[in-house]
Amino acid sequence: MSETMVEAQPPPGTRPAVASGQASAFETIYRANFAVVTAFFARRTTDPQTVADLTSETFVQAITSFRTFDPARGTARGWLLGIGRHVFAQHCQRHSRGAEVTARLAGHRPIDVDEAAELVLRIDAERAGRVLLDGLASLSTVDREVIELVDIASLSPKEAAVALGVSSGALRIRLFRARARLRGLAETSRGES
């Protein structure tokens, strides 16, 4: 009895998110930015499972919208962190409505011990970033995001502008003002010590 190989085909009426020629380009972007995206979420939560889920959700959304990525508008890192911001905002909305529990029960696979250990190390490595973000609590949301993307995640102002959906000029002004406010806070805290 001979076995016949049958190639899996997508359901009729659907097309793959990434054409075969683009798969290697996306893989390169994935490999170059996985740690950056993971660190982005590790600064926001101390739960390794949540970091893993949000990171993978970001890359799932990225691969499904890869056709829309335009390197002329900004770097892949800025594009991915923009997606990550939306993923995190959606996560916070789900969490606040209690839907996170339902989503976990509906299909998120638990991470294994080795993955959890690696994520715990990444979360620990981002502890200083979390402390800084906690210290930024007195700044507006926009100012915090600008500081994080440029000064913590090391995006250029142009990349951060793309991630935030604002013009480069507006971002530079926000960055200047946010840094000035932080310097003022640092001077105040040094004076109180």
Side-chain angles (χ1 to χ4, degrees), residues 89-180:
Q90 291 168 349
H91 164 75
C92 290
Q93 287 174 344
R94 284 191 310 265
H95 185 70
S96 67
R97 290 183 295 209
E100 181 183 25
V101 173
T102 304
R104 282 181 184 253
L105 295 174
H108 289 285
R109 77 164 176 83
I111 58 176
D112 65 32
V113 174
D114 291 336
E115 288 174 306
E118 181 182 333
L119 286 172
V120 166
L121 291 175
R122 286 180 189 247
I123 289 168
D124 286 343
E126 294 301 325
R127 183 178 320 238
R130 278 194 308 280
V131 169
L132 178 60
L133 289 177
D134 290 343
L136 297 174
S138 64
L139 297 178
S140 70
T141 302
V142 174
D143 288 347
R144 283 192 306 268
E145 289 177 335
V146 167
I147 291 290
E148 181 190 4
L149 292 176
V150 175
D151 293 336
I152 297 173
S154 301
L155 265 65
S156 70
K158 181 180 178 182
E159 293 170 319
V162 170
L164 293 173
V166 299
S167 71
S168 293
L171 184 116
R172 287 185 196 313
I173 291 169
R174 287 178 180 170
L175 181 60
F176 176 79
R177 289 179 182 161
R179 285 176 175 165

Side-chain angles (χ1 to χ4, degrees), residues 45-59:
T45 181
T46 58
D47 177 39
Q49 183 69 52
T50 302
V51 172
D53 290 347
L54 295 173
T55 300
S56 52
E57 189 172 337
T58 297
F59 282 105

